[in-house]
Amino acid sequence: MQNGQLWDIFCTVIDNHGDLGVCWRLTRQLRDAGQRVRLWVDDASALTWMAPTAAQEPGIEVKPWAQASDATTLAALPPADVWIEAFGCTLPEAFVAHAVQTSARQPVWINLEYLSAEDWVPRMHGLPSPLMSGPAKGWTKRFFYPGFTPDTGGLLREYDLLERQKTFDRAAWRQRHAPQLQPEARLISLFCYEPAALPQLLGQLTRTPDHLLVTPGRPLAAVQQALAGMPDTGHHPGWSALPFTDQNGFDEMLWACDLNLVRGEDSLVRALWAGQPFVWHIYPQEDNAHHAKLEAFLNWLQAPESLRQFHRVWNGVERGELLTLSPAALTDWEMCTRTARQRLLQQNDLVSQLRPLVM
Ligand code: TRH
């Protein structure tokens, strides 16, 4: 029975899956911490695979965005204690106006921002932002920045993550998803956009027994396109396509693989929790703002030079040869991930940092 506070999380899906992916993880983790959550989303279609049980989850209601402007819905809606405005999505004006007219005091209003390791993040985290116009003029929002250090909002981490990892049957997963894998071969997951160096990676894989597990959507399309453009040498990379899975299944893929090529925001965090070597394909921004963001992350990670170099070429920051995925490089990368994970495990997770703002 959930009798905690009531949270409204607002999410608009811009492109890709990260906005909803992060909001769904937050929703679930708040519920697991005894809270009640309404998730308002303008396009919930990805939940059919990311969280197929979403509609039946106790303590959680997934609501269509449009209903937040509907007068009949609003009149019957119990007021929330907290509003989370995810990633700068603007709350529907009618929803805000209704709350202003009917509530004695404003809910705690949190502006949840994107994840970054840049050094300005701790300075911005927690700052108030008074509203100067609109129906809620005079109310205040508060910035909440997730991050990698104790002076930020932390990272999403389930209370039972370590337990789930401990009981995970890695050998069975690998047998199920790559039954042909030779004992010396490495299993590599691919969740990316369209990395310029993808043909180079596929070229490397033609010379090894390694196997690439390709996630659906943009990664699969990118692999198919790269393969179509490769010269026919008679050697082919070992790869297979995975279907969409739910978030727990996605995590398990990362735990099972020897190297994870991840992207965006949520899967980066999941790769850290997996503790396996990983490479991040950062979400590209028009003005190349992502270059500084990538460097800041690699600095925080204390990444060895080989990992930095691989990242720069993989992300198109530098042209050149993609470093060979040697066993020595992967051992270094694994050590680096494990150390970073250990540091993170000693810090408070995001939900534990959000809750006191509300109590
Ligand atoms: O999809 P993304 O590229 O999302 C991005 C980033 O969040 C970026 O910051 C944002 O600005 C942009 O979208 C709009 O990558 P991300 O963040 O890793 O989200 C993917 C989610 O999809 C993650 O929660 C894992 C989930 N997923 C599954 O649950 N099952 C699957 O089979 C796959 C492939 C993904």
Side-chain angles (χ1 to χ4, degrees):
M1 184 69 182
Q2 251 75 27
N3 48 16
Q5 276 155 319
L6 181 58
W7 300 60
D8 276 323
I9 300 180
F10 284 86
C11 172
T12 51
V13 176
I14 298 169
D15 59 0
N16 303 304
H17 313 306
D19 300 301
L20 188 53
V22 170
C23 287
W24 178 251
R25 284 203 199 267
L26 175 61
T27 298
R28 244 188 351 158
Q29 290 176 32
L30 282 167
R31 187 281 311 273
D32 291 347
Q35 308 299 294
R36 293 167 295 139
V37 188
R38 292 187 295 231
L39 173 60
W40 303 85
V41 55
D42 63 345
D43 177 5
S45 54
L47 287 180
T48 54
W49 49 266
M50 195 186 280
T53 58
Q56 295 94 50
E57 290 282 346
I60 294 176
E61 278 179 80
V62 179
K63 309 277 263 177
W65 184 275
Q67 272 190 18
S69 303
D70 172 65
T72 318
T73 305
L74 289 175
L77 199 70
D81 304 293
V82 197
W83 291 349
I84 298 211
E85 185 173 324
F87 311 124
C89 73
T90 308
L91 263 52
E93 195 166 313
F95 179 87
V96 176
H98 176 81
V100 171
Q101 283 152 20
T102 56
S103 309
R105 63 187 180 105
Q106 79 154 93
V108 175
W109 189 344
I110 288 162
N111 206 331
L112 176 67
E113 290 292 339
Y114 285 109
L115 174 63
S116 172
E118 287 161 295
D119 56 8
W120 51 263
V121 168
R123 288 199 301 277
M124 297 292 287
H125 176 57
L127 287 185
S129 166
L131 286 140
M132 302 301 191
S133 60
K137 187 173 170 188
W139 284 15
T140 302
K141 304 186 204 182
R142 195 164 286 278
F143 286 110
F144 190 97
Y145 280 86
F148 302 92
T149 50
D151 48 6
T152 67
L155 300 177
L156 285 167
R157 182 177 82 220
E158 296 80 15
Y159 74 94
D160 59 350
L161 175 75
L162 299 184
E163 200 47 46
R164 273 172 53 219
Q165 288 185 325
K166 222 185 290 165
T167 54
F168 174 60
D169 189 342
R170 188 166 189 258
W173 196 100
R174 287 165 75 100
Q175 176 59 30
R176 225 175 21 256
H177 291 90
Q180 75 288 18
L181 197 70
Q182 297 164 29
E184 76 281 14
R186 294 163 308 183
L187 197 55
I188 303 173
S189 72
L190 181 71
F191 182 53
C192 59
Y193 305 112
E194 292 77 27
L198 184 57
Q200 287 200 56
L201 176 75
L202 294 171
Q204 272 194 35
L205 296 182
T206 61
R207 302 186 287 276
T208 72
D210 297 344
H211 189 86
L212 192 66
L213 290 174
V214 181
T215 55
R218 288 175 70 171
L220 179 59
V223 166
Q224 286 167 331
Q225 197 185 351
L227 287 174
M230 275 168 72
D232 190 1
T233 57
H235 299 283
H236 305 282
W239 73 282
S240 50
L242 290 174
F244 274 120
T245 170
D246 64 10
Q247 280 186 330
N248 284 354
F250 185 81
D251 291 348
E252 290 180 359
M253 172 188 78
L254 302 177
W255 304 344
C257 286
D258 303 296
L259 170 67
N260 294 309
L261 304 170
V262 293
R263 78 178 196 201
E265 174 164 332
D266 187 56
S267 55
L268 169 68
V269 176
R270 309 317 296 182
L272 279 162
W273 294 139
Q276 298 295 102
F278 70 88
V279 176
W280 183 30
H281 197 197
I282 189 169
Y283 185 74
Q285 288 168 272
E286 293 243 311
D287 48 359
N288 282 343
H290 60 291
H291 289 188
K293 199 171 162 180
L294 177 63
E295 280 304 309
F297 174 71
L298 293 171
N299 287 341
W300 169 82
L301 186 63
Q302 299 170 15
E305 188 47 39
S306 60
L307 188 53
R308 288 172 188 266
Q309 206 205 324
F310 196 104
H311 268 93
R312 289 188 196 122
V313 178
W314 187 243
N315 281 279
V317 177
E318 265 173 35
R319 286 161 187 259
E321 275 291 293
L322 195 63
L323 186 118
T324 303
L325 292 172
S326 67
L330 258 61
T331 304
D332 279 358
W333 300 0
E334 177 171 358
M335 227 149 62
C336 166
T337 315
R338 295 266 153 124
T339 312
R341 177 177 181 273
Q342 219 33 54
R343 273 188 278 151
L344 289 171
L345 284 173
Q346 279 153 22
Q347 297 169 26
N348 285 331
D349 68 283
L350 191 146
V351 164
S352 327
Q353 301 211 53
L354 262 183
R355 297 266 323 269
L357 301 180
V358 177
M359 287 171 192

